[in-house]
């Protein structure tokens, strides 16, 4: 069994900047608690074949970058959570005026009975709500970052 889900969000940044928010290092800025353990390369630079780990317990997940095309604003990962499931994760960004449309897709394949139950219970509505939360987190990050820069830019010399 494989379950595929896709959802789009808008990011109030030009595509070149917005796309970088969907790299492991970029997500450190806006995803609460996101702290990847970079295996290769140890710098966390996004490259094809990069490997990193996240999670703990049965949610320990090993990520591998299968496809990295920054010139096309496209990235594809394989995330393996051995106790539960595998997911193919794909993000493609497109310019829409001065903003960006990010298309996020996940394809889930269970690895265990528990993983099969989890994947079977997933819905498009829950997936969309989760990705919509990304939009909120990114907007909050951009608001805070703009506020911080404004404070820095207005400091007396």
């Amino acid at each position: 069994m494989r379950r595929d889900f896709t959802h789009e969000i808008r990011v109030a940044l030009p595509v070149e900047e917005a796309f970088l928010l969907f790299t492991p290092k970029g997500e450190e800025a806006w995803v609460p608690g996101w702290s990847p353990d970079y295996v290769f390369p140890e710098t966390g630079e996004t490259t094809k074949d990069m490997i990193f780990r996240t999670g703990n317990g049965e949610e320990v997940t090993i990520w591998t970058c299968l496809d990295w095309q920054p010139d096309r604003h496209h990235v594809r990962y394989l995330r393996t959570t051995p106790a539960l499931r595998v997911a193919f994760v794909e993000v493609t960004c497109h310019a829409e005026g001065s903003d960006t449309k990010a298309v996020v897709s996940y394809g889930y394949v269970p690895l265990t009975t528990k993983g099969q139950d989890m994947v079977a219970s997933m819905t498009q509505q829950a997936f969309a709500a989760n990705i919509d939360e990304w939009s909120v987190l990114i907007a909050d990050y951009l608001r805070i970052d703009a506020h911080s820069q404004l404070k820095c830019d207005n400091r007396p010399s």
Side-chain angles (χ1 to χ4, degrees):
M1 159 187 26
R2 177 174 167 154
R3 303 281 313 274
D4 293 300
F5 302 97
T6 299
H7 191 64
E8 301 173 2
I9 57 173
R10 282 186 83 83
V11 178
L13 285 173
V15 68
E16 292 79 15
E17 293 175 47
F19 176 65
L20 296 177
L21 292 175
F22 299 101
T23 64
K25 280 281 188 195
E27 289 189 18
E28 287 181 34
W30 61 271
V31 177
W34 178 258
S35 181
D37 173 23
Y38 297 108
V39 176
F40 174 80
E42 291 180 14
T43 62
E45 175 189 356
T46 303
T47 63
K48 184 179 182 303
D49 300 333
M50 95 176 289
I51 300 167
F52 61 98
R53 286 184 292 255
T54 60
N56 53 55
E58 70 180 6
E59 286 292 339
V60 167
T61 301
I62 301 163
W63 297 70
T64 304
C65 182
L66 300 176
D67 190 21
W68 172 242
Q69 297 181 43
D71 55 323
R72 292 184 57 224
H73 309 110
H74 173 83
V75 64
R76 186 169 190 249
Y77 301 97
L78 172 68
R79 55 173 282 190
T80 304
T81 308
L84 300 168
R85 65 196 170 273
V86 168
F88 295 94
V89 179
E90 196 163 352
V91 177
T92 305
C93 292
H94 306 278
E96 286 203 341
S98 60
D99 292 346
T100 298
K101 175 176 71 173
V103 180
V104 181
S105 300
Y106 273 63
Y108 294 98
V109 178
L111 295 174
T112 63
T113 302
K114 185 172 183 179
Q116 193 167 27
D117 292 342
M118 292 173 86
V119 171
S121 70
M122 293 176 178
T123 66
Q124 176 61 40
Q125 294 80 8
F127 179 79
N130 182 47
I131 302 305
D132 283 340
E133 180 63 20
W134 291 14
S135 181
V136 171
L137 291 169
I138 290 169
D140 288 348
Y141 160 71
L142 294 176
R143 200 169 16 262
I144 290 166
D145 189 52
H147 184 8
S148 296
Q149 287 188 10
L150 183 62
K151 286 174 80 172
C152 291
D153 293 343
N154 290 329
R155 270 192 245 159
S157 310

